[in-house]
Amino acid sequence: MTAPAGPDVTAVFDPALPWQKARSVALRPEPFGALVYHFGNRKLSFLKSRTLVAVVEALADHPSAEATLVACGVPETQRPAYVKALADLARSQMIEERTSVPPTTRTLAAGPCTEAV
Amino acid sequence: MTAVLPSRPQRPTGGRLVDQFEYGLDAPICLTWELTYACNLACVHCLSSSGRRDPRELSTAEAEAVIDELQRMQVFYVNVGGGEPTVRPDFWHLLDYAIGHDVGVKFSTNGVKLDKTRAAQLAATDYVDVQISLDGATAEVNDRVRGTGSFATATRALENLAEAGMKDFKVSVVVTRENAGQLDEFKALTDRYGAQLRITRLRPSGRGADVWDELHPTQAQQRELYSWLLANGEQVLTGDSFFHLSAFGEALPGLNLCGAGRVVCLIDPVGDVYACPFAIHENFLAGNVRDEGGFQRVWQQSELFADLRSPQTGGACTKCAHFDACRGGCMAAKFFTGLPLDGPDPECVQGYGETALAARDAATVKPKSHLDHSHTGPVRGQPTLLGIPAIPSKICDESPLAGLDLR
Ligand code: SF4
Ligand code: SF4
């Protein structure tokens, strides 16, 4: 069973902070998105769209989760759904808060997300 | 552009995960790998009719090559079984090899080799999960099915694991007519060892076909099981194997679909790839890992798997109000009871399965697997279910594997 759904999802996930795919997590591309596997807690999860896969992969290159959504071209109307999906991933430890912010140059260099097919 | 009609339905974009899974994945989520057909026991319901080793079983090098391939395909863990996998002399080596190649291992065993030393070794290893098979919460119920002494062997293994501080090991139970009333006892027994309970469905596969009529749970037991799962589901694993019970009403948690060839498959000891561990039959044989292109080619390109990767559109079940929850049940259960694959499950909780079973005409020949590795002679501690007298075990007979060819 997955972790019980806590009411304080937002307390775990702040989209204004920098995030990254957790280091012990692997993504396996699938036709509909990707399979996510956490080698530490051995949990399996799924990303249900290719854009979400691109977002998760790109998190580490942007100063915040919000910025990643913008860079990946997620339409504004869909952003709340993506934030919720990311919050779920944060709760199951598939993504983690990034403590080291990439250097400014790198942040600036990070262009639009290229992975969305 | 010349319109070429797709011969198979196209995968939709978006939608529910379960609908996506019907079209298959690039690699399996749940791969069972049976390492050997050899087994020290002779359980009456063995899904793979195991007993004797097959001389064509994969060598150590070939098994390593399969693991390399699984790593490349990002199959993050495999369910290892048999036969009794631990009687393969290279079992512990292959376990380490898999873990060293990012392929976690969950293995099922009757416990015969899990002495204190092995238990300590397992407790110290990451990415390994152990399941001890037990089919009765008491020796009496268990040993009738699994053989005299098998309850003692299993509980000794559980003790050793608990003592070694192993975390999250499982007790794996196949629910039968004889043990369906023991679910709370199983739970208590499992808790006692700090283990987790896993219960799965009995299918008429392998030797299970011979005993299915007398061992599969009654309708009343199925209903009790359903209520029990709704009440205890959070703490009990099921491998999502009871999804046909969802037709009682509220859907059970998990993946409610037959994953055969879509997200599930079996690699058998000789490297043959079947759609599901419960479907060892030529009709569900997709290829062999020894073939050119290996496992990946079989998984991604076999005709059989392509055929299985589409939603069911016809048949009696699609008209049933519970179809979305139950999806017509288990393909293997239908196949080995001689029922049509697009009709109801033989244990359909709406009762259509019983009607279908009764309507089979006398000429119906139930399909039989082309493989049988069952022991040919008597086995020590033979199960008594079939009325065969148990072979008394000799006190001085130290090795439970005595007399077996386990090279
Ligand atoms: S054939 Fe039965 S056991 Fe195999 S995946 Fe389908 S439902 Fe599960
Ligand atoms: S008729 Fe088919 S879909 Fe309906 S409950 Fe029975 S097995 Fe399930």
Side-chain angles (χ1 to χ4, degrees), chain B residues 154-357:
Chain B
T155 46
R156 196 179 329 113
L158 290 170
E159 256 161 48
N160 291 341
L161 289 170
E163 207 181 284
M166 179 81 186
K167 294 269 174 299
D168 296 328
F169 58 104
K170 277 115 192 133
V171 173
S172 189
V173 175
V174 175
V175 179
T176 65
R177 194 170 300 177
E178 305 200 345
N179 69 22
Q182 294 188 310
L183 294 176
D184 288 326
E185 283 171 74
F186 277 120
K187 185 77 181 62
L189 179 147
T190 312
D191 288 346
R192 211 156 56 235
Y193 295 106
Q196 197 176 13
L197 179 60
R198 177 176 187 269
I199 61 175
T200 55
R201 185 175 170 193
L202 172 74
R203 280 97 168 184
S205 310
R207 286 195 295 271
D210 306 332
V211 292
W212 188 82
D213 284 339
E214 58 183 303
L215 273 192
H216 81 91
T218 63
Q219 279 283 1
Q221 286 177 326
Q222 291 210 87
R223 182 165 268 291
E224 278 163 36
L225 171 61
Y226 173 71
S227 314
W228 193 87
L229 282 172
L230 286 182
N232 298 278
E234 295 288 317
Q235 308 143 48
V236 176
L237 302 168
T238 61
D240 299 344
S241 70
F242 294 108
F243 66 89
H244 72 295
L245 298 180
S246 292
F248 273 129
E250 192 182 327
L252 293 168
L255 199 62
N256 292 332
L257 96 156
C258 169
R262 295 162 161 169
V263 299
V264 172
C265 77
L266 166 75
I267 301 179
D268 94 336
V270 303
D272 278 339
V273 181
Y274 294 91
C276 162
F278 294 93
I280 301 182
H281 188 279
E282 281 155 331
N283 287 23
F284 303 108
L285 176 57
N288 189 290
V289 299
R290 284 170 171 142
D291 298 344
E292 207 189 317
F295 172 70
Q296 177 156 13
R297 170 121 179 237
V298 178
W299 177 263
Q300 294 179 349
Q301 293 177 34
S302 85
E303 279 289 306
L304 171 72
F305 285 1
D307 287 342
L308 292 172
R309 288 171 194 169
S310 60
Q312 180 181 340
T313 48
C317 283
T318 53
K319 294 179 201 86
C320 168
H322 302 283
F323 182 65
D324 195 49
C326 155
R327 306 247 162 180
C330 171
M331 179 184 79
K334 297 187 242 204
F335 182 75
F336 287 115
T337 48
L339 296 182
L341 297 189
D342 61 358
D345 187 289
E347 293 181 290
C348 163
V349 300
Q350 299 297 317
Y352 297 117
E354 279 175 6
T355 317
L357 289 174

Side-chain angles (χ1 to χ4, degrees), chain A residues 28-98:
Chain A
R28 180 176 99 195
E30 287 294 345
F32 57 84
L35 181 150
V36 195
Y37 186 72
H38 193 299
F39 279 98
N41 60 27
R42 283 181 254 168
K43 278 206 185 104
L44 202 63
S45 185
F46 297 91
L47 303 182
K48 290 207 283 180
S49 82
R50 296 221 178 155
T51 313
L52 183 55
V53 178
V55 168
V56 171
E57 301 264 31
L59 280 172
D61 300 330
H62 299 279
S64 70
E66 277 158 354
T68 313
L69 295 181
V70 175
C72 287
V74 176
E76 216 167 326
T77 47
Q78 288 181 26
R79 281 187 209 150
Y82 275 80
V83 168
K84 194 190 161 290
L86 290 174
D88 285 343
L89 290 168
R91 200 180 35 203
S92 53
Q93 294 160 3
M94 297 299 192
I95 62 173
E96 61 195 10
E97 219 181 296
R98 200 170 75 230

Side-chain angles (χ1 to χ4, degrees), chain A residues 1-4 24-50, chain B residues 11 14-17 20-21 24-29 73-77 102-103 105 126-129 168 233-235 237 253:
Chain A
M1 283 279 80
T2 44
S24 39
V25 161
L27 294 189
R28 180 176 99 195
E30 287 294 345
F32 57 84
L35 181 150
V36 195
Y37 186 72
H38 193 299
F39 279 98
N41 60 27
R42 283 181 254 168
K43 278 206 185 104
L44 202 63
S45 185
F46 297 91
L47 303 182
K48 290 207 283 180
S49 82
R50 296 221 178 155
Chain B
R11 176 192 296 274
R16 296 180 308 171
L17 220 39
Q20 287 291 334
F21 285 177
L25 296 179
D26 285 356
I29 303 178
M73 291 176 75
Q74 293 189 282
V75 173
F76 299 114
Y77 69 88
D102 288 344
V103 179
V105 172
D126 273 340
Y127 306 125
V128 61
D129 251 328
D168 296 328
E234 295 288 317
Q235 308 143 48
L237 302 168

